[in-house]
Amino acid sequence: QVQLVESGGGLVQAGGSLRLSCAASGSILSINAMGWYRQAPGKQRELVATITSGGNTNYADSVKGRFTISRDNAKNTVYLQMNSLKPEDTAVYYCNADIKPRVLIGYKNYWGQGTQVTVSS
């Protein structure tokens, strides 16, 4: 019942921008930390950025200064603003969140289905 759905991916030229969105839906009591991860072909999934429920953020060194993570708690949504995109940013981007469902005790970690970001040179 609880799910994360990403949107906003696409094809852009190097130097361009994209804004990813991830909305959590279902019977949710609360959401703790949320974040974005990415996985390029042949590589392991890696952390891009995280944000706590209070708004504290953390970024991978490779995206620091270019990407901005934010959230709207009223909408159960996390965003990733990506500027100055590079071909190295090409990957499937996955949303992640620690969510406490109404029907379960404690938090459970959820993943979205992923959205493709392709940066051409």
Side-chain angles (χ1 to χ4, degrees):
Q1 54 175 328
V2 174
Q3 63 178 175
L4 300 173
V5 179
E6 303 101 329
S7 61
L11 173 64
V12 298
Q13 293 184 333
S17 298
L18 283 174
R19 182 160 124 128
L20 306 182
S21 298
C22 172
S25 63
S27 185
I28 296 170
L29 185 62
S30 62
I31 302 177
N32 200 350
M34 305 183 81
W36 290 94
Y37 293 72
R38 66 187 182 187
Q39 187 166 24
K43 298 186 66 177
Q44 291 187 315
R45 189 171 301 186
E46 65 176 353
L47 172 71
V48 176
T50 60
I51 184 168
T52 68
S53 60
N56 293 315
T57 59
N58 183 54
Y59 298 91
D61 289 339
S62 59
V63 307
K64 202 168 298 182
R66 299 187 298 121
F67 292 9
T68 302
I69 188 170
S70 61
R71 64 192 287 169
D72 185 334
N73 292 330
K75 297 180 179 179
N76 289 337
T77 300
V78 63
Y79 306 94
L80 186 68
Q81 178 66 47
M82 304 185 294
N83 298 326
S84 301
L85 283 162
K86 306 174 181 179
E88 305 94 279
D89 296 318
T90 295
V92 177
Y93 284 70
Y94 295 91
C95 179
N96 180 267
D98 291 319
I99 300 173
K100 182 184 292 184
R102 292 188 181 276
V103 298
L104 295 177
I105 301 297
Y107 285 86
K108 182 179 178 181
N109 190 254
Y110 292 84
W111 290 95
Q113 81 286 352
T115 184
Q116 177 70 48
V117 172
T118 302
V119 184
S120 64
S121 59

